[in-house]
Amino acid sequence: MTRRAVVTGGGTGIGKAVARRLAGAGDEVVVVGRRLPILEAAAKEINTEIGAERVSAAVADLTVPNQVEALAARFAGDGLDVLVNNAGGNPAHAPDDLTGLADAYLETFRLNVITAVLATEALLPHIRRPGGRIISVSSIAGLRGPGAYGAAKAALHGWSLGLAQQLAPQGVTVNVVAPGFVPDTEFWSERLTSELAADRIAQIPAGRAGTPEEIAAGIAYLASPDAGWTTGQILQINGGTLLGRG
């Protein structure tokens, strides 16, 4: 049976790599985001690469409840096997007063937590039981900070672990992938300098940055039928930058 998957933030970077990996394995994938041209370009590129029309695009701002509801309506009666919550962001501005600080934290929480919560809650009635897979993309920042982005990703962890306990009896797994330094993403497109890249790589025992494809490989395992006994976990993929914790 062909599985169906949704990848939010699926037009670029890690999301696009996940869509490519799942579609290449035979899944039907819907990439979701706010920018239709980027989503359509990603879908066309992947479909051309695999020689099949398995990736399609859907536009939704996942911070807006009625847009998320409209997205979920697409799956009524058809079912969904895999949800990858990859949408997120880190507003690149430094607040200079308490009002700005509050706004920065609220916006970062909206982009990284509300997007995942709304998408998951809306799509949850359509996720197959047993066998459904929910994977959220976090960051090494959620395990060691700093600031609003680290706090938002840490909140994503706590929410995911609670959801894992709730859904485990129904045969649905919930996990998190926390990547380290992966520069080939939009997250870094406007803020990465050669000095910053060198500093980040110097902290990695493996001696190099990661790639979207390496993160996608970990997500693909958690999304697979073989991962049915893996739930409530935070998978770090970071070249040894932050070691596992018991």
Side-chain angles (χ1 to χ4, degrees):
M1 181 183 72
T2 299
R3 300 193 312 165
R4 304 185 75 200
V6 166
V7 180
T8 72
T12 63
I14 291 170
K16 182 178 175 181
V18 172
R20 178 183 289 111
R21 181 90 181 209
L22 296 180
D27 296 343
E28 292 182 357
V29 182
V30 179
V31 289
V32 178
R34 293 177 294 184
R35 299 167 296 177
L36 182 60
I38 288 175
L39 295 170
E40 289 181 333
K44 181 178 179 180
E45 178 184 322
I46 296 169
N47 288 334
T48 299
E49 287 176 5
I50 65 177
E53 294 292 319
R54 296 195 188 118
V55 183
S56 59
V59 174
D61 183 334
L62 299 175
T63 67
V64 180
N66 61 2
Q67 293 192 31
V68 182
E69 289 170 350
L71 172 69
R74 293 180 50 146
F75 297 92
D78 294 324
L80 180 66
D81 299 278
V82 178
L83 170 60
V84 180
N85 292 309
N86 175 66
N90 187 10
H93 57 82
D96 54 11
D97 58 22
L98 289 181
T99 298
L101 183 63
D103 289 343
Y105 268 76
L106 288 169
E107 178 65 7
T108 306
F109 193 88
R110 233 171 38 93
L111 291 173
N112 294 281
V113 182
I114 297 303
T115 52
V117 171
L118 293 186
T120 301
E121 289 297 325
L123 290 166
L124 198 53
H126 309 301
I127 290 179
R128 297 192 196 283
R129 294 159 170 82
R133 303 282 184 263
I134 300 170
I135 304 107
S136 294
V137 179
S138 173
S139 166
I140 191 172
L143 296 163
R144 67 176 190 181
Y149 186 70
K153 290 303 191 184
L156 189 65
H157 295 172
W159 168 73
S160 296
L161 300 184
L163 190 63
Q165 289 186 310
Q166 174 189 333
L167 296 179
Q170 301 173 37
V172 177
T173 67
V174 182
N175 293 287
V176 177
V177 170
F181 180 52
V182 181
D184 190 17
T185 65
E186 283 197 329
F187 180 93
W188 290 108
S189 61
E190 296 182 357
R191 68 187 79 199
L192 189 63
T193 64
S194 57
E195 292 79 12
L196 180 55
D199 177 70
R200 291 299 178 106
I201 292 172
Q203 300 175 42
I204 303 173
R208 65 173 179 84
T211 68
E213 289 72 25
E214 288 173 313
I215 309 306
I219 293 170
Y221 165 70
L222 294 173
S224 72
D226 289 339
W229 210 50
T230 303
T231 196
Q233 304 303 310
I234 301 171
L235 174 61
Q236 298 189 61
I237 308 177
N238 58 38
T241 309
L242 184 64
L243 301 180
R245 298 174 178 177

